[in-house]
Amino acid sequence: MRPRAQPLKSNPMLPLLKTEQLTKVFGGFCAVDRVSLTVNEGTIHSVIGPNGAGKSTLFKMLTGMLKPTSGRIWFAGHDITGEPPHVITHRGLAQSFQITSIFPRLTVLESVQTAIIARLGRCFDFFSRFHQSRAVRQQALEIIEQVGLSELADAEARTLSHGDQRALEVALALATDPKLVLLDEPTAGMSPYETRRMVNLVRELAQKRNLTVLFCEHDMDVVFEISDFVTVLHQGRVLVEGKPDEVRRNETVAEVYLGSEVQQ
Ligand SMILES: Nc1ncnc2c1ncn2[C@@H]1O[C@H](COP(=O)(O)OP(=O)(O)OP(=O)(O)O)[C@@H](O)[C@H]1O
Ligand SMILES: [Mg+2]
């Protein structure tokens, strides 16, 4: 059996997540170039930048899916650089992943229960199975309610609308009981109605669960509406960082990288 990582306790004196000079080189190409990022607990922090800026590569290094070429990642004060994804998840850093490609025939409730059981791991032993299964079901139903899918608890994941599938992906991330959730383009491909729902969901989660959210997003209205802090990446490097208003007013960002989208 694999050794299980301990969830990390955050230290209010330290940022929840910090990277130091994080770098990823593919062949001779530097996709993420000495990025030093600080994400404070309880904030909604967005990473923006044009296509190919390195946002997804940065996120994949944070979740352990890609090993950094150099640099360090600190989570709740512990160096997690190079740890595998399942260890990083147990430490409390979760990402949402595409449910439809993993559990397409499970229902919403079964999917969330499965994710909770995966987190409980060995604790879910034979003798306590009965009691735990009721507890797991209850916990799953609460998470499903939080993401607004209660009425679809018995629907198969593959039959959900695009917006509902993305909400289920967030539910699966929540099932790992995270401190920080990473969302890579949570509103991609969504209708205006679905986008609004996702915006409200992210905001509610941050407030009610005291979750820290790090997300990348192309929809600037969403970014400026819900972010506490924005980091702009360009060609793998941090170009500008600041509060949404500061970034919106920054001429380099507005003219060169975001074009007319922010010049409203
Ligand atoms: N596995 C890989 N091998 C080689 N190059 C890669 C790999 N993954 C990403 N890249 C390159 O690294 C750069 C950054 O890609 P990345 O996907 O991180 O950008 P992004 O900011 O997420 O873009 P988008 O907004 O389009 O999602 C791109 O030029 C991409 O082609
Ligand atoms: Mg990307």
Side-chain angles (χ1 to χ4, degrees), residues 26 29 31 49-58 185 218:
F26 294 113
F29 174 72
N51 293 116
K55 305 178 295 293
S56 296
T57 306
L58 172 65
E185 297 192 37
H218 282 289

Side-chain angles (χ1 to χ4, degrees), residues 24-27 29-32 47-60 66 184-185 216-218 233 236:
K24 183 67 189 180
V25 179
F26 294 113
F29 174 72
C30 192
V32 173
V47 177
I48 63 172
N51 293 116
K55 305 178 295 293
S56 296
T57 306
L58 172 65
F59 279 21
K60 285 177 190 163
L66 277 177
D184 193 340
E185 297 192 37
C216 70
E217 180 60 62
H218 282 289
L233 278 191

